[in-house]
Every structure is written in C-alpha cells, then in structure tokens.
Amino acid sequence: MSRPEEREKEARTCFTEPAGESPVQISPGVPGSRPQPIVAERRPATAGCQKPSAAQASEREQQSGPQHQVNPAASTEIQSESRADHVTAKAMSGAGTSGSAPGLGGVLGVAHSDGSVRNRRDPSRQPLSRQGPGYKPKAKSQGVERESEGAVVPRKAADENAARGKGPYSGRASTGGKSEGMAQTAASNHPGGRVPIDKVRRLQRKLYGAAKQQLGRRFHALYDRIHRSDVLWRAWKCVRGNRGAAGVDGITLAAVEEYGVEKLLSELGDDLQSGKYRPPPVLRRYIPKPDGQQRPLGIPTVKDRVAQAAAKLVLEPIFEADFLPCSYGFRPRRSATDALETIREAANSGCNHVLDADIRNYFGSISHQLLMERVKRRVSDRRVLKLLRSWLKAGVMEEGRYQETVSGSPQGGVISPLLSNIYLHYFDTVWTRQCSQIGVLVRYCDDFVVA
C-alpha cells in the first residue's frame, strides 16, 4: 500500500464524532471536508444538583445502556426538586453580582476575579458578605455605634494617677480595676509604688560609682556639695534621729526647733559658703565602760553635728568604695550581728585558736598628720581638708577649762567613726595582703578578732 493511502486510512479512523453520531470522513485536499465546530449556547454555571433534561437522560441511556428503574417516593422527589431549585436560584443570584470572569461560574469565577484584581496590586475590595446594611462601618458612619469603638480612650488625663506613676503616656497609668480597653503596664510590687530617689541619694550613688570605677581618683569639687540645702536638711534629720545632748553653747534639739530649723540651716549654709564657719570646742563628758573604767566623750554643738553629718554624707561614699569586707563598724548595711556571724562561720570551719584584741585609747591617739595624708589619697579639695582639720583641732572644754587637742578624734562626733575607719583601712589592707594565711580578720572599729 502506498504512503498517501495509509495516511488517508489513518485520518478516516481517527477523526470521528462523539458517540451516537455518524462519523464524517476527511479527505486530504478537498475543501470543506473538515467538520465545523459546533458552537453551543453557554449557560451560566449553577451550583448544586439539578434534574437532567430528557435529551440528556436519553443520551446517557444510549451511552451506558439499559439500567434498572427506581421509583422514589413522591415526598422525596418534591423535597429534592425544591432543594435543587433553591440552590440554583441562590447560585444564579450570586453569579450576577459576584463580578466573576466570563465562562467561569461559582466559586472558581469569584476566585479568578479576585486574583486578577490582586495581581494588578490594586486595593483588595471588601468581601461581598460585608456590603449589607448591617455592616459596622456603615452603621458607624450613620451614628448608630457608640462614641468609641474598640479601645476605651479617656477624654482627659486621670486625676487619680499621682500615686502610681508618670501618666498615660509613660506607663503605670492605672491605679486598679480591670484595665479594659488599655494595655496593662508593669508596675512595682510595692503597695505604694517605687519610692523616687532624692537628690542626696543620687549624689551618693554617683560619688560611689566614680570612686569604684577609678580607684586612684582624687575628688577636688566636694565643698559646694556639703553646704547644699538638701544635704543640710538630710544631715539635720540624721542628727535629730540620733538625739544627743547639748554642746558647749547649751542649745538642745528642742531649742533649735523652737528657734527654727530652716533659719538655723540657712545660717549654717551661709557660714560654710562664705568661709566664716569656725567650730567651737567640744564638751567633755564621761560614760562608764563595762570593765569599770570611764570612756571620754567629746560632744559637739548641734550646729557642728549638722555640719559634720553633711560632710559625712558627701565623703562616706567615696571611701566606702575602698573599704574591705573585714570591716564592720559604723558602715552602712553592716552591723555587729554580721561580724558575729562571720566569726561563727570561721570558728566552725576548723580553727583552733581565736584572738580578741582592742586598740588602747584609739580615738585619743590618732595621728592628725597621718590621718590627713590618708584622706588626701581620695580628696584634693582644700576647703574640705581645712574643714576636717578644724574639727580635729577644735579643742576640748572640760569643767570650764579649754584643752588643745594635738592628736585623736573626739569620740562622740558624727564624723569620727568615718575618720577612724579611714585610719585603720591601712591595717585591713596589710592583713589581707600579708597575713591572711594566719586567720580571718573581723574588725569592728578599734576592736578586732582573728579566727
């Protein structure tokens, strides 16, 4: 068989009409022999199950052959027809308003239309389900909704916020309640909130931090901090809390309050600032010691005690950065109980001997020159050094007689415990560096224990 005949035979067998129609032969080279495509009327797509027409049923019967006939109940047929009509009507109504692409019906057409809009990077249109009259934005525009939708926004700043924080824009705005509509911010667990740090405490922290970071630094601008009004007020509170007797002038704390504390502090600040301050001698008094001896005390006046307390507030943080843990006497957040606990732990660790010692007449035998040299290692302000030197050399008034002091620091003055720790800091350093293998040193001012 020739090749053109084979091609003609294959074409006759391949190109046929669907089942039920007679095949149409295609001859090569003959015009009009190719069948024209049948253009059928496209019906809108409908969702759900529909009852097939008679033509479709007959066509299916020809294709699939005879089948058994099943007669459903009349109620079932009516129910299925009504359900199909309902679904068809719903799909037809949605197809007319969904804006779907032509040729695609139902959900596929809507998805194709939305995808084409989003692919053009246009704003996404609102879902059709929200275009009804009950949609909230429309009702809100008509004035139906409340004044504030969503988060509850106060009309003005809360008046009851003073006890809990900074305000509505800085956190800790709520003082209680459910905090509805507003974010709850973290707050202090203290019932009254975090207590703000005053200026004096902030000054002490700055001085301590600077001294701790730079161990060899010498501070040269401290005198103007001593005669600050807030520092003098804090010093007065310390003096009043410690109570105490009157000095050589006979003025008691009650007399100062009657005279006017603010007036007294203002006069003291002016004298310190102008350089006219001159401390009077201390009053000598004796108290009994446990061993039956007498302990001499030097009682400054109330004004001198306030000035010494102000100087201690400024100088103590600087030297606290240098003091070692073995010192417990007259230091902040340390007590005799802490010293006893350290001794107990050292004794239970296996030591066999304990040494208890006391420096005889320590406060009366301190060398002024050696003490000032150790103070100068941290302080270079000449006015502060002059003020300390004036307290050391103020003298003693005993039974109406004046005695000049060439050594020692009056035991009873506010500044004396700090000066005594500065003086014995050298002893703590030498023991820690050279004698720590002998035992643990625990010192409380001029009394110390080695365990």
Side-chain angles (χ1 to χ4, degrees):
M1 185 181 296
S2 62
R3 183 164 302 186
E5 294 177 356
E6 294 178 358
R7 293 180 181 176
E8 182 179 357
K9 185 177 181 180
E10 292 176 359
R12 290 176 181 177
T13 57
C14 293
F15 293 94
T16 61
E17 288 293 329
E21 300 292 338
S22 61
V24 180
Q25 297 182 0
I26 300 176
S27 300
V30 179
S33 61
R34 185 179 299 275
Q36 299 296 329
I38 300 175
V39 180
E41 183 181 357
R42 181 168 295 176
R43 298 179 181 178
T46 58
C49 299
Q50 298 182 4
K51 184 177 181 180
S53 60
Q56 293 178 356
S58 61
E59 183 179 355
R60 290 182 181 178
E61 184 177 358
Q62 293 177 5
Q63 294 178 1
S64 59
Q67 296 181 1
H68 297 283
Q69 300 292 332
V70 179
N71 295 326
S75 59
T76 307
E77 182 178 359
I78 296 173
Q79 184 177 4
S80 61
E81 289 179 0
S82 61
R83 183 178 301 171
D85 295 339
H86 172 71
V87 174
T88 304
K90 185 176 180 182
M92 292 293 292
S93 62
T97 59
S98 61
S100 60
L104 295 177
V107 180
L108 183 60
V110 176
H112 179 76
S113 176
D114 292 344
S116 63
V117 174
R118 292 191 182 96
N119 290 338
R120 291 197 300 269
R121 297 187 178 181
D122 293 335
S124 300
R125 60 191 180 92
Q126 294 290 339
L128 298 176
S129 60
R130 297 185 180 179
Q131 302 301 326
Y135 186 45
K136 283 187 177 181
K138 288 186 177 181
K140 190 174 181 180
S141 62
Q142 298 173 3
V144 180
E145 287 292 327
R146 297 180 298 175
E147 295 180 0
S148 178
E149 186 71 17
V152 179
V153 182
R155 295 179 178 270
K156 62 179 181 178
D159 296 334
E160 301 177 355
N161 190 31
R164 280 301 305 275
K166 303 175 182 179
Y169 304 103
S170 302
R172 300 198 301 272
S174 175
T175 57
K178 300 180 181 179
S179 301
E180 295 180 354
M182 300 182 67
Q184 181 72 12
T185 56
S188 174
N189 293 331
H190 195 276
R194 182 176 296 178
V195 180
I197 302 176
D198 57 358
K199 293 182 179 180
V200 178
R201 184 60 177 167
R202 188 179 296 109
L203 173 63
Q204 290 181 323
R205 288 187 176 184
K206 288 183 178 180
L207 293 174
Y208 178 82
K212 198 69 174 179
Q213 292 178 359
Q214 303 176 5
L215 299 179
R217 177 178 175 178
R218 300 179 64 196
F219 294 82
H220 63 280
L222 300 175
Y223 191 78
D224 56 343
R225 272 74 171 175
I226 294 177
H227 60 73
R228 272 174 32 178
S229 59
D230 55 345
V231 176
L232 292 177
W233 269 104
R234 174 65 67 84
W236 160 253
K237 293 179 181 179
C238 296
V239 172
R240 184 183 59 182
N242 293 333
R243 301 179 181 179
V248 293
D249 56 359
I251 299 177
T252 60
L253 296 174
V256 170
E257 293 179 348
E258 184 178 356
Y259 175 76
V261 178
E262 185 175 359
K263 184 178 180 180
L264 176 68
L265 298 180
S266 178
E267 294 175 356
L268 176 59
D270 294 340
D271 293 342
L272 289 172
Q273 186 175 4
S274 60
K276 298 180 180 179
Y277 172 76
R278 297 291 185 274
V282 297
L283 180 64
R284 176 71 73 190
R285 288 289 184 265
Y286 293 92
I287 59 174
K289 298 177 64 176
D291 56 358
Q293 299 181 0
Q294 298 290 326
R295 184 189 303 276
L297 297 180
I299 304 175
T301 62
V302 176
K303 182 183 293 186
D304 294 339
R305 295 207 295 269
V306 174
Q308 292 182 14
K312 181 183 177 182
L313 289 174
V314 177
L315 296 176
E316 188 176 44
I318 299 174
F319 291 97
E320 275 291 329
D322 298 336
F323 291 159
L324 299 179
C326 60
S327 175
Y328 291 90
F330 306 108
R331 294 185 59 186
R333 299 183 181 181
R334 285 175 172 263
S335 62
T337 305
D338 299 332
L340 293 175
E341 180 64 19
T342 304
I343 296 173
R344 186 190 68 81
E345 293 178 356
N348 293 336
S349 62
C351 64
N352 299 323
H353 301 84
V354 176
L355 172 64
D356 183 12
D358 181 17
I359 301 176
R360 180 182 302 175
N361 191 22
Y362 170 68
F363 284 93
S365 60
I366 295 177
S367 172
H368 292 173
Q369 182 180 359
L370 187 57
L371 175 61
M372 294 307 300
E373 288 180 358
R374 294 176 180 174
V375 173
K376 289 180 183 179
R377 294 180 180 179
R378 276 299 199 174
V379 179
S380 61
D381 194 332
R382 295 181 179 180
R383 293 178 298 177
V384 175
L385 298 176
K386 181 180 178 180
L387 183 63
L388 296 177
R389 198 176 289 111
S390 65
W391 287 327
L392 294 174
K393 297 184 177 297
V396 178
M397 185 69 68
E398 184 177 1
E399 296 181 357
R401 294 178 300 177
Y402 174 76
Q403 297 179 2
E404 184 180 358
T405 54
V406 295
S407 63
S409 177
Q411 190 173 358
V414 181
I415 198 67
S416 296
L418 176 61
L419 297 179
S420 65
N421 283 329
I422 295 174
Y423 193 80
L424 287 180
H425 174 65
Y426 180 76
F427 169 71
D428 300 339
T429 304
V430 172
W431 183 274
T432 304
R433 292 178 180 177
Q434 303 179 7
C435 307
S436 58
Q437 70 278 1
I438 299 177
V440 178
L441 173 65
V442 179
R443 183 178 65 82
Y444 193 93
C445 197
D446 57 335
D447 299 323
F448 64 92
V449 173
V450 178

